[in-house]
Amino acid sequence: MFAACLLLVIAILGGTLLTFLFDRNTPRGARLCMGASIGMALMATIGFLLALMLGLGATTILLAAFILLLPSLLLLDRERRALILNAMRSPASAAPKSSLAGIGYLAFYLALAILLAMVFNRAVFERADGIYTGVTNNLGDLPLHLQVINSFAQGHNLPPEDPTFAGVRFAYPFLVDFLAAMLVRAGAGVIFAMWLQNMVMAMALVGLLHYWTILLTRNRLAGVISPLLVLFSGGLGWWLLFSEGNSDGFFATLGNLQHDYTIVSSSILRWGNSLTTLFVPQRSILFGVPLAITIFCQWWLAISQQEDALSSAAPPDAVKLEQSNAAAAKVAKSRRKALRKAATYPQPDPPNFYLRRMLAAGLCAGLLPLIHAHTFLTVMAAATCLLLIFRSAWRSWLYFFAVALIVCAPEVLWLANTGGVHARSYLGWQPGWDHGQHNVIWFWFVNTGLFIPLLVVSLVWHRGTFKLPPRVVKFYIPFIFCFVVLNLFKAAPWIWDNIKVLFLWYVASVPLVAWLLARWWQQRSLFRWVAPAVFLTLILAGALDVLRVVSEASEYQEFDAQGIAVASAISAQTAPRALVLHAPTYNSPVFLTGRRSLLGYPGWMWSRGLDYSERSADIERIYLGAPEAEALLRKYNVDYVLVGPLELASFKVNEQFWSKYKTLARAGAYRVYQIGDHK
């Protein structure tokens, strides 16, 4: 466990030191968050490349850690060392201006860390009678992630074959689970590895949201509001709490919430809460979004530097020139004094430093396809739009695209050249996202509440100084297109999966809504009292879903004790690359072994565009003991067959047919049959 923690510390340290190559003046906390997202992405990518050659063992882990320690060589240079040490001692411009504000920031982050720890602690936990999840939307996703992690950690799944659809290349953003497998191989248990990784990714997301919002809005209160709007995202589902009968009393009901309030099956509520619907079940998006925000920050800073340089280079008239020269001389003198006083930190960026920012953004974008493919597509589409909007900076965008395309090319080719995937199932005309039979406008209002109206107000309100800078509005335009396009077309076989892109629109919009709420609160008018009420309506439904998790009101058994026992027997007595036939359900004990499955849960196949119909029919004939059953076992190279409660419930199992095979293991109602001779 210590080695696993040390591995993550090395990743964070290496990533943080690398940030000094392209970003000199980021506040200390934001730099650590940026370093965590970059370092973990590099650790996963480098570890994967090494594992392809050496396998996922001690040598790979040590080499990956060594490579991530190489940025510490920057400390050998005296000037860089002084810059780095002073930067890490000084909180820089985003620091609170008083000790009281500093205590407030500390309490804010500590409270969120405790909350996130409690949520992720309920994502997966083990008791004497089995493995559970306390998050409703994690019921079907958790076994998939356990299967992928175990396939790397136990199953020697390199190069990656789909562990739930044997024989097909793994076209899935698996690096988040590969990094967890590295932590497992370093000595952590699977459950702790997932918890630790989730905590680092989530805290990095919080810090980067805070920093990015301040960058765009220059408003510290907005920086605090932004993470809350994301973590407690939801719509108007909180109204259900008041409309339902509460015979036990309001507070008793809060302690035992019976359903979610942001997403309810067969209802208009489809948006969900980011924590309980996205970050816990779909771990890849939690890995990808902090990296995307890192990219957005570098874009913004690079564009700002270039536009400021262009505006300062414009020729003024003679009087203004004289005044500006005198003012510039005073500013330069005061800046030199401040720099001497601050021992070289913070430093103004050199004239072409923005190119480094764009190169770094390109590297981060290039790493995204196997981290979260939808985030990669969103980032590249936004970059294309911004190139057209900020045409004067076209040279720097060429740097970004050159690096991004070179780095991403192998990953994109891997994902593209996957047999069995029907690409046409990913694209199609489907207006209104997942609105069903509901009016689209009403659908979005119920699912996001006042968020979209507030967003529109923030963009169009021009009242004195109460307006967003034009540059911010221009920077936001690509995300408007993102929202519109994903409301017209589907980008995945399952229309709901459009949320993987729509959520990036939401993240990009949050700073603007947070700025509006913060400015309202800072007014001495009626708006000061409206702001808290509006803020409460935005976060209440999401808060109820999170409360339901941390109050332990919901829990679902994924694997029972007998299933865990038979999984242990399979792991101990079969080869790592063995293929095990089992019922195509979401919670087969085989998923705890890392062994290959002929067919996992059909919902996973369908959502990835895989045609599983033939295999599904063949599996049914095999369990039935049909005349062609033995030929089908040979066709698919099946090594072992599991017969347990799930198989007996799913198929007509021919016990006489299976009695002629050797029983490899038995645990309660579970039996594992050996097909052929295996040494």
Side-chain angles (χ1 to χ4, degrees):
M1 185 178 295
F2 173 77
C5 294
L6 181 61
L7 191 65
L8 273 188
V9 169
I10 290 172
I12 295 169
L13 175 63
T16 301
L17 289 173
L18 283 174
T19 63
F20 286 95
L21 294 176
F22 60 87
D23 196 325
R24 295 185 173 197
N25 300 321
T26 294
R28 180 177 55 210
R31 186 181 298 280
L32 286 170
C33 295
M34 195 180 298
S37 63
I38 294 173
M40 291 173 68
L42 289 173
M43 178 68 79
T45 304
I46 292 169
F48 174 65
L49 293 175
L50 291 171
L52 288 175
M53 298 179 287
L54 305 172
L56 183 54
T59 302
T60 289
I61 291 172
L62 289 173
L63 281 175
F66 172 75
I67 292 172
L68 264 292
L69 283 173
L70 289 179
S72 60
L73 295 176
L74 294 172
L75 297 171
L76 297 179
D77 181 82
R78 186 171 63 181
E79 291 185 7
R80 287 190 184 277
R81 182 169 65 249
L83 174 67
I84 292 170
L85 294 178
N86 280 290
M88 298 311 292
R89 282 196 294 263
S90 171
S93 59
K97 295 182 179 180
S98 68
S99 58
L100 185 61
I103 294 172
Y105 273 179
L106 179 62
F108 173 74
Y109 277 95
L110 183 60
L112 287 183
I114 293 172
L115 177 69
L116 290 168
M118 294 172 68
V119 170
F120 292 130
N121 193 52
R122 295 288 295 172
V124 52
F125 56 95
E126 187 170 6
R127 292 178 178 160
D129 62 336
I131 295 175
Y132 290 78
T133 181
V135 182
T136 304
N137 297 296
N138 201 30
L139 186 63
D141 289 86
L142 174 60
L144 173 62
H145 290 293
L146 291 174
Q147 167 71 322
V148 177
I149 293 169
N150 285 313
S151 77
F152 289 123
Q154 297 185 49
H156 302 179
N157 189 19
L158 294 163
E161 178 182 324
D162 194 325
T164 63
F165 200 66
V168 172
R169 182 182 292 182
F170 198 21
Y172 184 82
F174 55 76
L175 282 184
V176 66
D177 291 325
F178 183 84
L179 182 57
M182 291 181 69
L183 299 179
V184 171
R185 297 292 291 175
V190 175
I191 293 176
F192 178 73
M194 294 176 71
W195 180 89
L196 182 64
Q197 186 185 20
N198 287 342
M199 280 297 297
V200 174
M201 294 188 298
M203 290 305 297
L205 172 65
V206 170
L208 287 167
L209 277 168
H210 183 187
Y211 172 58
W212 187 42
T213 300
I214 293 177
L215 271 184
L216 291 178
T217 67
R218 302 297 180 186
N219 190 300
R220 296 178 188 278
L221 179 57
V224 173
I225 294 173
S226 273
L228 300 178
L229 290 177
V230 171
L231 295 180
F232 300 112
S233 62
L236 299 180
W238 50 265
W239 183 255
L240 295 175
L241 181 67
F242 302 99
S243 62
E244 295 167 343
N246 299 320
S247 57
D248 296 330
F250 180 74
F251 291 104
T253 301
L254 284 180
N256 189 30
L257 297 170
Q258 295 301 303
H259 61 81
D260 289 334
Y261 290 85
T262 63
I263 184 168
V264 179
S265 60
S266 302
S267 80
I268 194 173
L269 294 171
R270 303 299 298 150
W271 181 248
N273 167 255
S274 65
L275 264 176
T276 60
T277 307
L278 293 176
F279 296 159
V280 170
Q282 303 187 38
R283 302 175 68 242
S284 294
I285 198 169
L286 183 56
F287 201 5
V289 172
L291 207 58
I293 297 176
T294 298
I295 295 168
F296 298 160
C297 289
Q298 298 311 311
W299 284 351
W300 173 257
L301 291 168
I303 290 170
S304 298
Q305 183 182 2
Q306 291 174 86
E307 291 217 325
D308 290 345
L310 287 173
S311 61
S312 64
D317 57 57
V319 176
K320 288 184 178 179
L321 179 61
E322 185 177 350
Q323 292 175 345
S324 64
N325 287 340
K330 288 183 179 180
V331 170
K333 185 176 180 180
S334 62
R335 183 174 293 176
R336 285 194 298 270
K337 287 174 86 176
L339 287 175
R340 285 195 298 269
K341 195 173 182 180
T344 75
Y345 185 81
Q347 290 187 356
D349 289 339
N352 291 327
F353 201 75
Y354 59 84
L355 294 178
R356 294 193 184 188
R357 295 188 185 278
M358 298 302 276
L359 290 171
L363 173 63
C364 292
L367 296 174
L368 277 171
L370 289 180
I371 290 176
H372 192 243
H374 287 83
T375 298
F376 169 73
L377 294 174
T378 305
V379 165
M380 298 305 287
T384 303
C385 292
L386 289 172
L387 167 61
L388 299 176
I389 294 168
F390 297 98
R391 292 186 297 275
S392 60
W394 65 270
R395 288 186 179 86
S396 63
W397 285 108
L398 290 183
Y399 280 81
F400 167 81
F401 280 108
V403 174
L405 293 175
I406 290 171
V407 174
C408 80
E411 297 185 14
V412 171
L413 289 174
W414 172 271
L415 293 173
N417 296 326
T418 301
V421 174
H422 295 274
R424 291 182 181 179
S425 64
Y426 277 81
L427 299 174
W429 173 261
Q430 192 157 342
W433 184 43
D434 200 14
H435 70 103
Q437 301 300 316
H438 303 282
N439 177 272
V440 174
I441 296 175
W442 177 245
F443 168 81
W444 275 108
F445 181 69
V446 171
N447 276 276
T448 59
L450 294 172
F451 186 85
I452 293 178
L454 290 171
L455 176 62
V456 173
V457 170
S458 72
L459 291 170
V460 302
W461 192 325
H462 292 173
R463 182 180 173 186
T465 59
F466 201 105
K467 63 179 179 180
L468 286 169
R471 188 184 298 166
V472 173
V473 177
K474 289 165 63 179
F475 191 83
Y476 178 70
I477 289 174
F479 300 100
I480 297 176
F481 285 116
C482 171
F483 178 78
V484 171
V485 171
L486 270 295
N487 268 278
L488 295 176
F489 300 93
K490 69 171 186 173
W494 183 25
I495 185 61
W496 188 85
D497 274 346
N498 274 23
I499 199 171
K500 296 175 182 178
V501 176
L502 289 169
F503 184 70
L504 268 294
W505 157 79
Y506 183 83
V507 168
S509 307
V510 156
L512 310 188
V513 174
W515 168 82
L516 182 65
L517 292 174
R519 288 301 307 270
W520 279 0
W521 173 254
Q522 291 159 351
Q523 301 297 306
R524 294 184 177 180
S525 66
L526 179 63
F527 286 114
R528 183 177 181 88
W529 308 109
V530 170
V534 171
F535 175 68
L536 184 62
T537 67
L538 292 174
I539 68 168
L540 183 54
L544 289 172
D545 282 8
V546 173
L547 175 63
R548 184 167 181 251
V549 173
V550 300
S551 65
E552 303 183 5
S554 61
E555 63 179 40
Y556 308 90
Q557 188 181 64
E558 297 276 13
F559 307 99
D560 59 24
Q562 293 179 354
I564 296 172
V566 80
S568 298
I570 293 173
S571 297
Q573 300 181 51
T574 66
R577 299 294 293 152
L579 193 155
V580 183
L581 176 64
H582 58 84
T585 60
Y586 70 88
N587 59 341
S588 172
V590 175
F591 300 149
L592 299 175
T593 69
R595 272 49 179 178
R596 297 181 300 151
S597 293
L598 183 61
L599 179 60
Y601 180 50
W604 301 338
M605 309 302 126
W606 171 68
S607 66
R608 302 209 302 271
L610 290 166
D611 183 2
Y612 61 89
S613 57
E614 181 181 354
R615 286 196 187 189
S616 180
D618 287 346
I619 290 172
E620 184 174 358
R621 288 196 290 271
I622 290 172
Y623 274 104
L624 184 61
E628 66 273 20
E630 291 186 350
L632 290 172
L633 289 170
R634 290 192 299 270
K635 171 187 174 181
Y636 291 112
N637 296 313
V638 174
D639 297 308
Y640 303 94
V641 176
L642 176 66
V643 176
L646 296 174
E647 286 70 28
L648 293 171
S650 303
F651 304 114
K652 292 181 180 179
V653 178
N654 187 335
E655 298 284 1
Q656 183 178 359
F657 174 80
W658 294 108
S659 64
K660 65 183 179 181
Y661 291 98
K662 177 183 176 181
T663 302
L664 178 76
R666 185 186 296 270
Y670 293 91
R671 290 157 289 156
V672 180
Y673 294 105
Q674 180 175 313
I675 309 300
D677 296 325
H678 296 276
K679 296 182 180 179

